[in-house]
Amino acid sequence: KTRASHHCRQCGRCIQGFDHHCPFVAGCIGDRNRHFFLWFLALSSAGCMYATFMSGHAFWECVGFPVARLNLGWPETRPRPDAACRVVKEL
């Protein structure tokens, strides 16, 4: 066991530069995989922001917010998702 390693209770292993045990990647975060974990966090955050934006755009279009002013490159006469709009309006 090196001086900078710590024992993980969940994995039962010694990890060099141990930071924490992450259940999302099913392993420990240490010196060897910290870089990949930070990329995982960044890409997960970017994916969540993208999904939120796309869902919010569809929601505001259903309730009548003038999203066409944003000019996102879509044609202004594209069909609206009627089934999703009915669900939003019933709430």
Side-chain angles (χ1 to χ4, degrees), residues 16-27:
Q16 185 175 1
F18 180 73
D19 188 13
H20 68 284
H21 181 86
C22 181
F24 300 109
V25 296

Side-chain angles (χ1 to χ4, degrees), residues 6 15-21 28-31 34 37:
H6 297 282
I15 308 296
Q16 185 175 1
F18 180 73
D19 188 13
H20 68 284
H21 181 86
C28 292
I29 307 303
D31 285 343
R34 184 172 290 128
F37 180 69

